[in-house]
Amino acid sequence: MLRSALRFAPSRLCNQVGAQRLAATSIRAGFPRFSKSLGSESRSYQTTTPLAHATPLTSEKYPQLKRNPSFKQLTTDDVQHFRTTLPPECLLYAASEQDVHELTGYNTDWMGKYRGQSRLVLRPKTTDQVSAILKYCHDQRLAVVPQGGNTGLVGGSVPVFDEVVVSLDKMNQVRSFDDLSGVLVCDAGCVLESLDNYVAEHNHMMPLDLGAKGSCHIGGNISTNAGGIRYLRYGSLHGSVLGLEVVLPNGTVLNNLSTLRKDSTGYDLKQLFIGAEGTLGIVTGVSITTPPRPVAQTVAVLGVETYEDVQRVFKLARQNLNEILSAYEFWDNPSMDMVLHHAGDNARHPLAQAYPFYVLVETSGFNKEHDDEKMGQFLEIAMEKGHVKDGVLSENASQMATFWYLRETISEAAVKTGPTYKYDVSIPVPQLYNLVLDTRERLTQAGLYKDDKSGYPVKKVTGYGHVGDGNLHLNVIAEEYTAEVSQALEPYVYEWVEGHRGSISAEHGLGLMKAPHLYHSKSEAMIQTMQSVKHMFDPHGIMNPYKFLP
Amino acid sequence: MLRSALRFAPSRLCNQVGAQRLAATSIRAGFPRFSKSLGSESRSYQTTTPLAHATPLTSEKYPQLKRNPSFKQLTTDDVQHFRTTLPPECLLYAASEQDVHELTGYNTDWMGKYRGQSRLVLRPKTTDQVSAILKYCHDQRLAVVPQGGNTGLVGGSVPVFDEVVVSLDKMNQVRSFDDLSGVLVCDAGCVLESLDNYVAEHNHMMPLDLGAKGSCHIGGNISTNAGGIRYLRYGSLHGSVLGLEVVLPNGTVLNNLSTLRKDSTGYDLKQLFIGAEGTLGIVTGVSITTPPRPVAQTVAVLGVETYEDVQRVFKLARQNLNEILSAYEFWDNPSMDMVLHHAGDNARHPLAQAYPFYVLVETSGFNKEHDDEKMGQFLEIAMEKGHVKDGVLSENASQMATFWYLRETISEAAVKTGPTYKYDVSIPVPQLYNLVLDTRERLTQAGLYKDDKSGYPVKKVTGYGHVGDGNLHLNVIAEEYTAEVSQALEPYVYEWVEGHRGSISAEHGLGLMKAPHLYHSKSEAMIQTMQSVKHMFDPHGIMNPYKFLP
């Protein structure tokens, strides 16, 4: 009965050491260790496309998409131009149809849902090279797809047809770091986890963290306005990014790598590129403020009976943990099942029995004694009120990592379970989980799904996400991507979100997937203004075409 | 020896109650009480221009400024149009030259530095009225100045020539507030302090606070990207504003009043209007996230010998107070002298003797015992190391208010001391105060100033500001505004800031004052792009002309 860690009488809760000692017994020896926050080993998250070989061409899957004839077809002269202006290691070219498969990693998205047909991948090492590439493409009307770690989930980072891929993976240097202010300046191609490890040496941490951290680039994070698990505490990139270096489509370099916390000199242009998904230019450099790295962290995983209790526990967490609350995540039991199934020996259920919902609460602070006392009070109240049925509390970094593993591996586990329709939406917290319930019901009514049973086109309908931010990830895992399932889900999901005054994309962006559905979240006047902005920066429309805007 | 509050041996610092009791004796009975954070009485800050009667016309003071002849002169037909489309109380018109003085409050800035000649002030009550006004002005080429609380410091909120003033002061309703998420939606004309009082009833607080809070509008805060004293803890408006309703120059209403914490659906257009100073349209509605209101706050005022020690104490504050540190302000002794002189019976020196520098440290949290312990540890270390020579610690809200009064009244005290050249700049923290020293030296060399003595054109050169944000306010207080002093200060100050990789405007914006100097902080490519943005939104250039961009 290891869950008794949280099942003691209130009078015992003052003894935090005891509470944690009990909790510790819930951790099975031999759990995988991850680099989560305080550890040092690398995480198992892979960006290798699990289903790459099975991915159909985007152009065949979506026949309504037509190549824009105003874009030039790549010629051998173009390739020769790049060969003469870039070092040989910065260019990958598939001369024949057969060679195209060598570029599969650049043409196919991580989900195995989208596959383009680019034959040219450029991997510049400097901002000047990026500038020269874009100027040439702009003059020649060659369409371009900027690519970071290619961990996006909406088809935004791979070509649709024959666009030239400009990968930032060779621009991965830290340019400067200031210990006093915590301001980091780096290339856009730096991997998020590498940056986090780098600033950790100086007792700071990146203000964002997400499952793909081992592969995603900071430039991609910025271009998709990534959220992640630290958002609750450290807020939006619109607040933490201090400056950007951006190459505009015509090759102009906008150098605005300010390291100042405050700057009110003119329109804050950098904001336009945060979340622009590479449609206005290529982010090449980043200045970002990094907060001091907490010295005390604790993670609890709690078993909860209802979504109403998930909300009640959230309210209690905010009231009792306040400034040390750094994450409040939830997932449902089908999500837990998938993770445990695919983790194999790497993980097991942290509680004695299954619950309909699980909540992960993390505190981060600088005084362990104070923080433990606050966590203890919070858990005591949540248990006493009956909103939490069972739980475990971490005692060290390794245990925290095992708890986070359960939450962070859901996305990967879903994709391994089957082709996954992923929806990342913002919804006012009280209605959040209703989308999962209503979607299940709709698919059941349509005869496409029944109670996680086999033999139906849809295997599972799961929900998880960042409750504290009103951000739900709805995953519908199918036997295969089919028009029948697609049509049952879309525009249904988007209409549902619109009807509940939500956003059809909370943190994954629009990409190819959601571009046509933007009107569910933005007015005609807003979209027209966006189109004017796009036209102003990119009059030939060469940057990441077919995506983002309808 | 009331300062002994902080002068005890380390062993005594564990007893926080004792520390505070000692500190309490430093507070003189009868100090003014302000509404600072936890109080309820209104603040004495006045926006009545202290020197309004003496303010020369901007057009005469800056003869190089020429009225743009493409703007239509206001006709009686125009006035008649507005009379027929707006309720009578929404229009103020000066039919004759003599009547113009009745509009002085709308034509003159708070500093008494800029005075325009508008004869028409429109005060719409609804977004639709704003839309109709702008559409008419756009079609008729009538230039417009949007105006909030008119507390700006760079001449951005008053006309230069005969522009029509559109005041938001009649749009001052809260539209909604959500207790669970803390999201407030309101009209742009709401006064910041009124909003703070409103959300305080729901245990939340506005994420920004500044000296002008009793008069400034939230729309003006957003349009100037206001910073203020909570910036260190709660960050930029670019992070906390969730949505805006904006009327574009052609009358189009961009409704993006999202209440969602996360939304990645297209370019984040609202960001362009944050800090645009009304040059792209008029902000009419605001959605903003408000943090939970702390239940425990403490303020310490410390006497410090050198600016190096100001930095050392800052570092210690960050290390020891971390997530509960909510403000770290500093001011120099000449600033303190001005405040005490003008406060009269309202304030007296909090320490036993004068020091070259004063630091104000504020903590805000949710567990008084924990926070007091942290504050005690911080002060103990700072005193032990000798970086702090003396200090007082607040024991209640009233005392906190008296301490804040010293810091927040500096700006007003300066203007009462004499015509003030105000510079609001960002500079890397280590060099911050050197600007004050170098400016003093330069004015001394020029024979314009000597050691605060009378008989010189410049009375005082003072520095204060938000050390934690690298934000200095340099105030040069003169006998009168003269070309001689101006020329000694500009472009010198801007060049100095540029040479130290700072920003010529940290939180006050550009307005009329700094528009010509923007190139000291932004590159040619950045400024050109800004001009393209301006032209896209406002092709006729009617919005707040002559300002913001060079």
Side-chain angles (χ1 to χ4, degrees):
Chain A
M1 293 308 290
L2 41 93
R3 270 66 48 195
S4 62
L6 298 174
R7 214 181 278 149
F8 29 39
S11 62
R12 286 190 52 200
L13 261 173
C14 299
N15 180 357
Q16 276 301 308
V17 178
Q20 294 203 341
R21 191 176 310 126
L22 285 166
T25 62
S26 72
I27 307 298
R28 196 182 63 134
F31 260 32
R33 299 168 64 107
F34 299 92
S35 65
K36 183 70 195 77
S37 304
L38 297 177
S40 61
E41 287 131 293
S42 68
R43 199 171 299 188
S44 73
Y45 187 94
Q46 295 295 326
T47 57
T48 318
T49 309
L51 305 163
H53 60 282
T55 306
L57 285 177
T58 302
S59 60
E60 292 174 358
K61 191 170 162 191
Y62 302 98
Q64 72 276 23
L65 288 171
K66 302 295 176 201
R67 186 183 182 282
N68 182 339
S70 74
F71 297 142
K72 180 182 174 184
Q73 304 264 7
L74 191 73
T75 66
T76 51
D77 283 354
D78 297 324
V79 177
Q80 190 53 34
H81 166 83
F82 290 120
R83 281 200 202 284
T84 56
T85 55
L86 289 169
E89 69 274 20
C90 294
L91 187 147
L92 296 171
Y93 176 56
S96 67
E97 287 284 350
Q98 300 93 291
D99 293 344
V100 171
H101 73 271
E102 289 185 10
L103 301 184
T104 297
Y106 294 93
N107 270 315
T108 313
D109 80 313
W110 178 79
M111 297 273 298
K113 196 171 170 189
Y114 303 99
R115 183 156 66 95
Q117 304 159 68
S118 181
R119 293 198 175 182
L120 181 64
V121 175
L122 303 176
R123 304 165 72 197
K125 292 177 169 176
T126 67
T127 302
D128 285 346
Q129 288 173 355
V130 176
S131 169
I133 289 168
L134 287 197
K135 184 174 187 333
Y136 182 85
C137 291
H138 177 80
D139 292 344
Q140 295 289 322
R141 309 291 193 271
L142 283 166
V144 170
V145 174
Q147 190 174 89
N150 195 12
T151 60
L153 296 169
V154 290
S157 56
V158 290
V160 177
F161 297 100
D162 57 346
E163 300 92 286
V164 176
V165 174
V166 178
S167 167
L168 276 289
D169 59 1
K170 285 190 182 291
M171 287 187 67
N172 54 13
Q173 300 297 305
V174 169
R175 300 190 191 178
S176 69
F177 181 74
D178 177 17
D179 261 8
L180 183 66
S181 65
V183 176
L184 171 75
V185 181
C186 66
D187 289 347
C190 291
V191 170
L192 178 60
E193 189 170 43
S194 305
L195 292 176
D196 201 49
N197 290 338
Y198 178 88
V199 300
E201 291 171 21
H202 304 273
N203 303 318
H204 283 73
M205 74 174 188
M206 295 300 286
L208 78 162
D209 186 15
L210 54 153
K213 74 186 288 187
S215 302
C216 64
H217 293 183
I218 187 69
N221 298 149
I222 283 160
S223 296
T224 55
N225 190 25
I229 55 179
R230 290 179 186 159
Y231 193 99
L232 182 68
R233 171 78 165 268
Y234 299 103
S236 160
L237 287 169
H238 288 289
S240 53
V241 171
L242 299 183
L244 293 178
E245 177 188 80
V246 182
V247 180
L248 299 185
N250 66 4
T252 299
V253 179
L254 279 190
N255 185 340
N256 185 215
L257 278 177
S258 169
T259 57
L260 304 164
R261 279 175 56 82
K262 285 181 173 176
D263 181 19
S264 294
T265 51
Y267 307 126
D268 197 353
L269 296 177
K270 69 172 181 284
Q271 302 287 355
L272 282 177
F273 302 95
I274 299 175
E277 300 183 31
T279 60
L280 299 180
I282 297 183
V283 174
T284 51
V286 176
S287 172
I288 189 167
T289 181
T290 68
R293 200 169 195 87
V295 296
Q297 284 190 304
T298 314
V299 174
V301 174
L302 312 174
V304 177
E305 289 282 7
T306 66
Y307 180 68
E308 285 65 37
D309 278 340
V310 171
Q311 294 176 70
R312 291 186 188 107
V313 177
F314 175 50
K315 199 163 183 179
L316 291 175
R318 286 218 309 178
Q319 285 168 352
N320 289 278
L321 301 174
N322 282 294
E323 68 268 1
I324 62 165
L325 179 63
S326 54
Y328 190 91
E329 303 284 313
F330 95 111
W331 60 101
D332 59 11
N333 197 46
S335 298
M336 183 72 112
D337 280 349
M338 287 193 307
V339 167
L340 295 176
H341 179 74
H342 287 280
D345 287 342
N346 287 332
R348 75 182 220 190
H349 204 296
L351 306 179
Q353 67 173 79
Y355 289 89
F357 296 96
Y358 304 91
V359 162
L360 183 152
V361 182
E362 182 189 70
T363 64
S364 302
F366 295 84
N367 185 313
K368 184 165 166 42
E369 196 184 326
H370 290 173
D371 296 357
D372 284 350
E373 191 181 324
K374 285 171 179 140
M375 181 66 118
Q377 282 168 356
F378 154 65
L379 293 174
E380 177 183 339
I381 295 169
M383 297 284 286
E384 265 190 356
K385 287 181 180 283
H387 304 326
V388 168
K389 299 302 178 194
D390 196 1
V392 283
L393 186 62
S394 72
E395 203 182 31
N396 54 45
S398 169
Q399 292 173 5
M400 282 194 290
T402 64
F403 294 167
W404 269 113
Y405 177 85
L406 298 170
R407 163 64 187 87
E408 289 199 298
T409 319
I410 300 171
S411 182
E412 190 179 345
V415 176
K416 283 180 174 167
T417 303
T420 304
Y421 295 85
K422 295 180 94 74
Y423 300 94
D424 154 60
V425 296
S426 279
I427 303 169
V429 175
Q431 284 85 44
L432 194 83
Y433 198 72
N434 288 342
L435 176 59
V436 180
L437 300 178
D438 290 356
T439 302
R440 263 189 212 137
E441 176 63 21
R442 177 177 170 85
L443 293 169
T444 305
Q445 293 290 331
L448 297 170
Y449 166 82
K450 191 167 187 186
D451 298 335
D452 287 10
K453 287 180 183 158
S454 61
Y456 289 86
V458 171
K459 296 179 181 176
K460 279 182 183 287
V461 182
T462 73
Y464 59 97
H466 320 284
V467 179
D469 303 316
N471 182 183
L472 175 76
H473 298 310
L474 166 69
N475 279 210
V476 177
I477 299 113
E479 289 289 343
E480 56 184 325
Y481 291 122
T482 65
E484 197 181 14
V485 176
S486 291
Q487 285 161 12
L489 292 170
E490 296 175 25
Y492 171 77
V493 170
Y494 300 125
E495 286 171 354
W496 194 101
V497 171
E498 182 182 7
H500 289 77
R501 303 179 62 184
S503 166
I504 64 162
S505 179
E507 58 177 11
H508 292 174
L510 297 168
L512 187 66
M513 177 183 175
K514 296 183 182 174
H517 306 289
L518 180 56
Y519 62 90
H520 288 294
S521 281
K522 289 284 152 64
S523 69
E524 186 65 27
M526 288 286 287
I527 294 173
Q528 277 180 6
T529 308
M530 289 180 197
Q531 285 163 334
S532 299
V533 169
K534 167 73 175 175
H535 187 73
M536 190 192 101
F537 280 96
D538 184 21
H540 304 323
I542 62 166
M543 298 303 302
N544 218 0
Y546 318 111
K547 301 166 187 165
F548 197 68
L549 294 180
Chain B
M1 293 311 289
L2 39 95
R3 270 68 47 194
S4 62
L6 298 174
R7 214 180 277 149
F8 29 38
S11 62
R12 286 191 50 200
L13 260 173
C14 298
N15 180 357
Q16 275 301 309
V17 178
Q20 295 203 341
R21 190 176 310 127
L22 286 167
T25 63
S26 72
I27 307 299
R28 198 181 65 134
F31 260 34
R33 298 168 65 109
F34 298 92
S35 65
K36 183 73 194 75
S37 304
L38 297 177
S40 62
E41 288 131 294
S42 68
R43 199 172 301 188
S44 72
Y45 187 95
Q46 295 295 326
T47 58
T48 317
T49 309
L51 306 163
H53 59 282
T55 306
L57 286 177
T58 302
S59 59
E60 292 174 358
K61 192 170 162 191
Y62 302 97
Q64 72 276 22
L65 288 171
K66 303 293 178 202
R67 186 182 181 282
N68 182 340
S70 75
F71 296 142
K72 180 182 174 183
Q73 304 265 5
L74 190 73
T75 67
T76 50
D77 283 353
D78 297 324
V79 176
Q80 191 52 36
H81 167 82
F82 290 120
R83 280 199 204 284
T84 56
T85 54
L86 289 169
E89 69 274 20
C90 294
L91 186 146
L92 297 171
Y93 176 57
S96 67
E97 286 285 351
Q98 300 93 290
D99 294 343
V100 172
H101 73 270
E102 290 184 10
L103 302 185
T104 297
Y106 294 92
N107 269 315
T108 313
D109 79 315
W110 178 78
M111 297 273 300
K113 196 171 170 189
Y114 302 98
R115 183 154 65 95
Q117 304 159 67
S118 180
R119 291 199 176 182
L120 181 64
V121 176
L122 303 176
R123 304 164 74 197
K125 291 176 170 177
T126 68
T127 302
D128 285 347
Q129 288 173 355
V130 175
S131 170
I133 289 168
L134 287 197
K135 185 175 186 331
Y136 182 85
C137 291
H138 177 80
D139 292 344
Q140 295 290 324
R141 309 291 194 271
L142 282 166
V144 169
V145 174
Q147 191 173 90
N150 195 12
T151 61
L153 297 169
V154 290
S157 56
V158 290
V160 176
F161 297 100
D162 57 347
E163 300 92 287
V164 175
V165 174
V166 178
S167 167
L168 277 286
D169 58 2
K170 285 189 183 292
M171 288 186 68
N172 53 13
Q173 301 297 306
V174 168
R175 300 191 192 177
S176 69
F177 181 73
D178 177 17
D179 260 6
L180 183 66
S181 65
V183 176
L184 171 75
V185 181
C186 66
D187 289 347
C190 291
V191 170
L192 178 60
E193 188 170 45
S194 305
L195 292 176
D196 200 49
N197 290 338
Y198 178 86
V199 299
E201 291 171 20
H202 304 273
N203 302 318
H204 283 73
M205 73 173 190
M206 296 299 286
L208 78 164
D209 186 15
L210 53 154
K213 75 186 289 187
S215 303
C216 64
H217 293 183
I218 187 69
N221 298 148
I222 282 160
S223 296
T224 54
N225 189 24
I229 55 179
R230 290 179 187 160
Y231 193 98
L232 181 68
R233 172 78 166 268
Y234 299 102
S236 160
L237 287 169
H238 288 288
S240 53
V241 171
L242 298 183
L244 293 178
E245 177 189 82
V246 182
V247 180
L248 299 185
N250 66 4
T252 300
V253 179
L254 279 190
N255 186 341
N256 185 214
L257 278 177
S258 169
T259 57
L260 304 165
R261 279 175 57 82
K262 284 180 173 178
D263 181 19
S264 295
T265 51
Y267 307 127
D268 197 353
L269 296 177
K270 69 171 181 284
Q271 302 288 354
L272 282 178
F273 301 96
I274 300 175
E277 301 182 32
T279 60
L280 299 181
I282 297 184
V283 174
T284 51
V286 177
S287 172
I288 189 166
T289 180
T290 68
R293 200 169 195 86
V295 297
Q297 284 189 303
T298 315
V299 174
V301 174
L302 313 174
V304 176
E305 290 283 6
T306 66
Y307 179 68
E308 285 65 38
D309 277 340
V310 171
Q311 294 176 72
R312 290 186 189 108
V313 177
F314 174 50
K315 200 163 183 178
L316 289 175
R318 286 218 310 178
Q319 285 168 352
N320 290 278
L321 300 173
N322 282 294
E323 69 269 1
I324 62 166
L325 179 64
S326 53
Y328 190 91
E329 303 284 314
F330 95 110
W331 60 100
D332 58 12
N333 198 47
S335 298
M336 182 73 112
D337 280 349
M338 286 192 311
V339 167
L340 295 176
H341 179 74
H342 286 281
D345 287 342
N346 287 331
R348 75 182 222 191
H349 203 298
L351 306 180
Q353 67 173 78
Y355 288 89
F357 295 97
Y358 303 92
V359 163
L360 183 152
V361 182
E362 183 188 69
T363 64
S364 302
F366 295 84
N367 185 315
K368 183 166 165 44
E369 195 183 327
H370 290 174
D371 297 358
D372 284 350
E373 191 182 325
K374 284 171 180 142
M375 182 65 119
Q377 282 167 355
F378 154 66
L379 293 173
E380 178 183 341
I381 295 169
M383 297 284 286
E384 263 189 358
K385 287 181 180 284
H387 303 325
V388 167
K389 298 302 177 193
D390 195 2
V392 284
L393 186 62
S394 73
E395 205 183 29
N396 54 45
S398 168
Q399 292 172 6
M400 282 195 290
T402 63
F403 294 167
W404 269 114
Y405 176 85
L406 298 171
R407 163 64 187 84
E408 288 200 299
T409 317
I410 300 171
S411 181
E412 189 179 345
V415 176
K416 283 180 176 167
T417 303
T420 303
Y421 294 86
K422 294 180 95 74
Y423 299 94
D424 154 60
V425 296
S426 280
I427 305 169
V429 175
Q431 284 85 44
L432 195 82
Y433 198 71
N434 287 342
L435 175 59
V436 180
L437 300 178
D438 289 356
T439 302
R440 262 189 212 138
E441 175 63 22
R442 177 177 170 86
L443 293 169
T444 304
Q445 292 291 331
L448 298 169
Y449 167 81
K450 192 168 187 186
D451 298 336
D452 287 10
K453 286 180 184 157
S454 61
Y456 289 86
V458 171
K459 295 178 181 178
K460 277 180 184 289
V461 182
T462 73
Y464 60 97
H466 319 286
V467 179
D469 303 316
N471 182 184
L472 174 77
H473 298 311
L474 166 68
N475 278 210
V476 177
I477 299 114
E479 289 289 343
E480 56 185 324
Y481 291 122
T482 65
E484 196 181 16
V485 175
S486 290
Q487 285 161 15
L489 290 170
E490 295 176 27
Y492 171 77
V493 169
Y494 300 124
E495 287 171 353
W496 194 101
V497 170
E498 182 181 6
H500 291 76
R501 304 180 60 184
S503 166
I504 64 162
S505 179
E507 59 176 11
H508 292 175
L510 297 167
L512 187 66
M513 177 182 174
K514 295 182 182 174
H517 306 289
L518 181 55
Y519 62 90
H520 288 294
S521 281
K522 289 283 153 63
S523 69
E524 186 65 27
M526 287 287 287
I527 293 173
Q528 277 179 7
T529 308
M530 288 180 196
Q531 284 163 333
S532 299
V533 169
K534 166 72 175 175
H535 187 73
M536 191 192 101
F537 281 95
D538 184 22
H540 305 322
I542 62 164
M543 298 304 301
N544 218 0
Y546 317 111
K547 301 164 187 166
F548 198 67
L549 295 180

